[in-house]
Amino acid sequence: MTVVEWPNAISPGLWPFRLAAPEQWSAVEPDEGLMAFLAPPADGFRANLVLFGRRLPEDLTLGEVAELALADDTPRRIIDPGIDQPAAPGGLPVAVRSSGTVVDGREVRQIAVVTEAPDRSPSGLRSVYTMLGTYLADRADLDESTLTSMMASFELIH
């Protein structure tokens, strides 16, 4: 019998990362994500950021992953049809999508930012990270800039 440790060269697991969050936000462990952050309550809502990570094949584009992150059974209106940027020198490739919907009579917006690590397993899988931010549309000036700052702070640990 052979003892196999994980992660390993065949199954490398997710690439390590870090992200900066405002001190007044609470970190929580989500059911399906890697980590989540909740803003202090404001106007009966808590803006939030959930970070997901998966090993995905190369033929699934970052834009497709972002669109899947926003897809659910709620009717949505596309706010930004999308931004796809290849990796800049020293940077990460990124796809951005945003949408809006109405929940309990209030307009809610979501931003999905997806990026990937340069790792590839022998089967072609790579680490893909989705950051999904949710906030009230009428608090966009404050919450959207905070969420985008958090998302921009995402970096891989080498």
Side-chain angles (χ1 to χ4, degrees), residues 69-89:
L70 295 173
D72 62 21
D73 295 333
T74 308
R76 296 190 178 274
R77 159 178 112 269
I78 298 301
I79 296 171
D80 183 340
I83 299 168
D84 294 302
Q85 296 176 346

Side-chain angles (χ1 to χ4, degrees), residues 7-118:
N8 58 54
I10 301 301
S11 297
L14 290 170
W15 193 287
F17 63 89
R18 69 178 131 237
L19 181 132
E23 288 185 23
Q24 67 272 27
W25 285 50
S26 303
V28 296
E29 182 178 20
D31 291 337
E32 297 181 21
L34 300 175
M35 60 175 39
F37 299 92
L38 300 172
D43 298 333
F45 187 84
R46 294 182 83 171
N48 60 80
L49 177 70
V50 182
L51 194 143
F52 301 90
R54 294 177 54 196
R55 301 287 296 167
L56 294 173
E58 290 187 65
D59 62 351
L60 189 59
T61 70
L62 298 182
E64 291 169 331
V65 175
E67 290 161 16
L68 289 170
L70 295 173
D72 62 21
D73 295 333
T74 308
R76 296 190 178 274
R77 159 178 112 269
I78 298 301
I79 296 171
D80 183 340
I83 299 168
D84 294 302
Q85 296 176 346
L92 301 173
V94 67
V96 180
R97 303 291 188 272
S98 60
S99 68
T101 190
V102 176
V103 177
D104 296 329
R106 301 178 83 180
E107 187 175 354
V108 175
R109 293 193 181 155
Q110 287 190 303
I111 304 170
V113 175
V114 180
T115 192
E116 68 182 10

